[in-house]
């Protein structure tokens, strides 16, 4: 297979998707926004899920205190799978041509990457999560990388990744 021809075909296909605005993202999440006002926020803050979330973040932070980034640590099989998954997701970036546009927001080519994420995430998640939880977990994983409609990224997306973990 000619790698240059394949790269050119991929680039042309990506540009056509952007120009035709035919991308996005067949993601349909089982997640649904639940916090709309101060009372909703207070209910969340007083919930067990919030307590568990903060506890997880705290334990995660404490687990690396005093450990150099150069320290060799053993990696659990699940963590190794997640590392491999993220590595694959990162490997798609050089294959996607950045779209020239005049917007202060993210690049529309992100949706091409996001579509690949949607297409490929289940095969990874099913390695460490029971099937009945995959739709919800996929939603958190997908939104960990940003919003494909607004093409933005912020702390809420980071929180989605922590929940995914």
């Amino acid at each position: 297979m000619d790698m240059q021809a394949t790269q050119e075909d991929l680039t042309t296909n990506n540009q056509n998707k952007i120009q035709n605005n035919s991308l996005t993202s067949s993601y349909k999440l089982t997640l649904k926004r639940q916090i709309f006002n101060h009372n909703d926020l207070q209910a969340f803050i007083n919930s067990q899920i919030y307590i568990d979330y903060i506890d997880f973040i705290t334990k995660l932070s404490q687990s690396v205190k005093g450990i150099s980034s150069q320290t060799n640590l053993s990696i659990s099989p699940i963590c190794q799978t997640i590392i491999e998954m993220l590595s694959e997701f990162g490997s798609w970036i050089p294959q996607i041509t950045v779209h020239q546009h005049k917007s202060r927001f993210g690049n529309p080519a992100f949706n091409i990457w996001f579509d690949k994420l949607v297409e490929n995430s289940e095969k990874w998640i099913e390695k460490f999560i029971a099937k009945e939880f995959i739709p919800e977990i996929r939603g958190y994983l997908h939104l960990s990388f940003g919003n494909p409609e607004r093409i933005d990224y912020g702390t809420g997306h980071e929180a989605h990744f922590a929940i995914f973990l």
Side-chain angles (χ1 to χ4, degrees):
M1 177 184 278
D2 180 2
M3 283 303 280
Q4 185 172 4
T6 303
Q7 180 64 34
E8 288 170 9
D9 291 341
L10 183 59
T11 299
T12 301
N13 188 30
N14 291 347
Q15 289 169 342
N16 289 339
K17 280 183 168 182
I18 291 169
Q19 289 169 354
N20 296 331
N21 201 19
S22 66
L23 297 167
T24 323
S25 284
S26 49
Y27 85 105
K28 298 293 179 218
L29 302 178
T30 59
L31 307 180
K32 180 169 99 171
R33 183 175 170 192
Q34 299 286 323
I35 300 174
F36 296 98
N37 57 45
H38 182 73
N39 290 338
D40 296 339
L41 178 60
Q42 285 305 309
F44 174 63
I45 289 171
N46 294 323
S47 71
Q48 186 61 48
I49 192 70
Y50 178 79
I51 293 166
D52 293 345
Y53 173 71
I54 295 300
D55 186 50
F56 173 74
I57 298 295
T58 301
K59 288 178 179 174
L60 194 61
S61 175
Q62 290 172 347
S63 73
V64 296
K65 270 189 186 168
I67 298 177
S68 164
S69 63
Q70 305 302 313
T71 303
N72 286 331
L73 301 172
S74 63
I75 300 173
S76 73
I78 290 174
C79 287
Q80 185 60 44
T81 300
I82 292 171
I83 291 167
E84 291 167 7
M85 176 186 74
L86 294 172
S87 179
E88 178 180 305
F89 296 170
S91 74
W92 305 330
I93 294 169
Q95 302 169 11
I96 299 170
T97 303
V98 174
H99 180 63
Q100 300 303 315
H101 73 310
K102 295 179 181 182
S103 172
R104 67 183 190 96
F105 298 104
N107 195 286
F110 168 73
N111 287 314
I112 296 166
W113 182 90
F114 194 90
D115 284 343
K116 286 184 71 80
L117 171 69
V118 170
E119 290 170 21
N120 290 279
S121 59
E122 186 167 341
K123 75 177 183 186
W124 286 101
I125 296 171
E126 67 187 9
K127 294 179 181 186
F128 51 85
I129 294 291
K131 270 214 180 301
E132 65 265 22
F133 299 114
I134 289 176
E136 182 175 359
I137 296 300
R138 280 183 74 200
Y140 287 111
L141 177 64
H142 295 165
L143 290 181
S144 296
F145 294 98
N147 184 296
E149 293 166 10
R150 293 191 312 261
I151 310 179
D152 70 346
Y153 184 83
T155 56
H157 300 105
E158 294 168 352
H160 280 95
F161 189 70
I163 293 168
F164 164 77
L165 293 175

